[in-house]
């Protein structure tokens, strides 16, 4: 089995490598290719990756290359983990929206749209080259904004599934609180990427006892603190929203908070510098503890689970993924991309039935889906008017004056990445 990781020079990659090494019986990789144009980073990450495999006795071969076509040739699956524009572009995404009193975040609001506009054309170019080299390869997308990028891939006819680590993080957290193993925990996880709610936490499968009311009664304070939301929100809803819902439920408070401290991008850039220095140490042969602060917890385990199911080495399995709606949420079009539990096997992902949703959630999901439709149209076709319409449709913007100003700021800060600008 051959896997290729496009964006393999990311500081995230050792987390992925560690999972591949530990779970080699689940996903028996013979060759792993790390593809990245940044030769300096790729050399450091590739060296550590080989040492991690060696330490854990993995027999697979790890190679590195800047040549995309060579790297993905004959790959059974290609995992995408890109950041077009790097942390510098992310820093802009997180700062210029604040000038209009709107949240600055890399996947949500105006910053999220900027990232989509930069990213979708690049991802489609990469995956077209993958298709020419190996049309049977699965595309596993971890590149944000995952929902929009996955929809672009599916609409272009690729064998693609989107992946996020939010659900597996909740699964692990609730398993610890319930003192059970993670595989015993089934989440009623419903929504869009970075716009989801845990409607139930069940033991033993989708028909198991719902433990969520007890979890909220006993651990509601801890759960709310982890979400950085007031406990009153969690208690009033009676469900667990994802961390990203804080940008909706406490928007103005978050804007004030973001205006008083360095951006997350600045923090991550400093962390990456330190991590890369660590990766260059020839004595280091395991992922450093600092990597846990970088983000992406349990990303490797989710990726292994998904790849093993798609490639047949793990049989079919139920996992939270991003895929076509296909009637799962009846108030959305079939070709909307949702994030829910799905049965995954060699044919792809088939969403499971979900509990009936309260209008409180249906309304926000519908509005953000409409925004994502317009965002994808802007990413594919360009043009100031399309960018403006996407911003106007976003529930965190929604005012003509803000959408006008943010459109100009977005284009000014991203002109080098927008061919039409």
């Amino acid at each position: 089995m051959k896997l290729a990781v496009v964006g393999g020079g990311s500081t995230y990659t050792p987390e992925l490598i560690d999972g591949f090494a530990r779970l080699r019986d689940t996903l028996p990789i013979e060759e792993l290719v790390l593809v990245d144009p940044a030769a300096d980073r790729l050399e450091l990450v590739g060296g550590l990756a080989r040492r991690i495999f060696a330490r854990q006795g993995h027999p697979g071969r790890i190679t590195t290359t800047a040549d995309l076509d060579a790297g993905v040739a004959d790959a059974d699956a290609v995992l995408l983990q890109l950041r077009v524009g790097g942390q510098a572009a992310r820093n802009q995404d997180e700062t210029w929206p604040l000038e209009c009193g709107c949240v600055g975040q890399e996947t949500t609001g105006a910053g999220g749209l900027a990232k989509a506009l930069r990213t979708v054309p690049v991802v489609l170019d990469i995956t077209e080259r993958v298709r020419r080299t190996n049309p049977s390869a699965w595309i596993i997308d971890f590149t944000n904004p995952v929902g929009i990028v996955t929809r672009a891939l599916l609409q272009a006819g690729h064998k693609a599934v989107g992946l996020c680590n939010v659900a597996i993080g909740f699964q692990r957290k609730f398993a610890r609180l319930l003192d059970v193993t993670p595989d015993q925990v089934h989440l009623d996880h419903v929504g869009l990427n970075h716009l989801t709610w845990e409607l139930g936490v069940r033991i033993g499968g989708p028909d198991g006892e719902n433990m969520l009311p007890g979890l909220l009664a006993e651990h509601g304070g801890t759960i709310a603190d982890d979400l950085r939301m007031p406990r009153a929100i969690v208690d009033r809803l009676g469900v667990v929203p994802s961390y990203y819902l804080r940008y909706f439920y406490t928007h103005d408070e978050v804007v004030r908070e973001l205006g008083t401290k360095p951006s997350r991008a600045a923090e991550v850039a400093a962390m990456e510098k330190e991590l890369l220095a660590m990766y260059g140490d020839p004595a280091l042969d395991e992922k450093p503890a600092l990597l846990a602060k970088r983000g992406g917890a349990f990303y490797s385990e989710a990726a292994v689970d998904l790849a093993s199911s798609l490639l047949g080495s793990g049989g079919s399995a139920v996992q939270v993924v991003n895929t076509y709606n296909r009637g799962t949420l009846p108030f959305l079009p079939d070709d909307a991309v949702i994030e829910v539990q799905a049965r995954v096997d060699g044919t792809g992902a088939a969403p499971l039935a979900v509990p009936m949703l309260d209008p409180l959630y249906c309304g926000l999901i519908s509005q953000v889906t409409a925004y994502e439709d317009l965002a994808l149209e802007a990413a594919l076709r360009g043009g100031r008017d399309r960018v403006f319409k996407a911003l106007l449709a976003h529930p965190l913007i929604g005012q003509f004056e803000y959408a006008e100003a943010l459109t100009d700021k977005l284009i000014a800060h991203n002109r080098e990445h927008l061919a039409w600008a």
Side-chain angles (χ1 to χ4, degrees), residues 103 108-109 194-195 229 243-252 254 364 368 394-396:
V103 69
T108 302
H194 290 184
L195 193 87
M229 293 188 201
Y243 167 88
Y244 292 90
L245 266 299
R246 71 188 293 260
Y247 300 117
F248 293 82
Y249 293 156
T250 61
H251 177 272
D252 292 354
V254 171
L364 187 53
V368 175
H394 199 290
L396 296 184

Side-chain angles (χ1 to χ4, degrees), residues 248-262:
F248 293 82
Y249 293 156
T250 61
H251 177 272
D252 292 354
E253 179 183 340
V254 171
V255 168
R256 289 191 293 270
E257 171 194 317
L258 293 175
T260 64
K261 64 180 186 179

Side-chain angles (χ1 to χ4, degrees), residues 129-160:
R129 292 168 65 181
V130 172
R131 179 151 53 189
R132 289 198 299 267
T133 304
N134 182 10
S136 65
W138 277 102
I139 307 296
I140 297 174
D141 178 60
F142 196 71
T143 297
N144 281 319
V146 167
I148 295 173
V149 172
T150 301
R151 186 167 181 183
L153 290 168
L154 290 172
Q155 285 188 176
H158 294 288
K159 295 171 56 179

Side-chain angles (χ1 to χ4, degrees), residues 13-30:
T13 299
E15 164 71 26
L16 185 65
I17 299 300
D18 177 73
F20 286 162
R22 287 185 293 102
L23 302 171
R24 56 186 174 274
D25 292 338
T26 302
L27 188 67
I29 298 171
E30 296 169 290

Side-chain angles (χ1 to χ4, degrees), residues 291-375:
L291 188 55
K293 298 181 180 180
R294 173 66 179 83
F298 309 114
Y299 152 47
S300 62
E301 295 175 38
V304 167
D305 288 346
L306 179 54
S308 65
S309 295
L310 291 174
L311 299 177
S313 63
S316 67
V318 172
Q319 182 176 3
V320 172
V321 298
N322 286 260
T323 191
Y324 273 150
N325 178 42
R326 299 189 187 96
T328 308
L329 300 181
F331 54 90
L332 294 184
D334 284 350
D335 64 350
V337 166
I338 60 174
E339 185 173 291
V340 294
Q341 296 277 8
R343 174 72 60 182
V344 183
D345 59 23
T347 66
L352 302 184
V354 302
M356 183 175 294
L357 286 183
D358 189 288
L360 178 64
Y361 312 123
C362 297
L364 187 53
I365 291 171
S366 296
Q367 190 171 1
V368 175
T369 297
Y371 151 75
E372 290 189 348
D373 288 348
L374 295 167

Side-chain angles (χ1 to χ4, degrees), residues 17 35 41 63 107 114 127 137 146 156 165 195 198 228 309 334 346 351:
I17 299 300
V35 183
R41 295 170 65 105
T63 59
T107 64
T127 51
V146 167
N165 70 324
L195 193 87
E198 309 307 326
R228 297 178 65 190
S309 295
D334 284 350

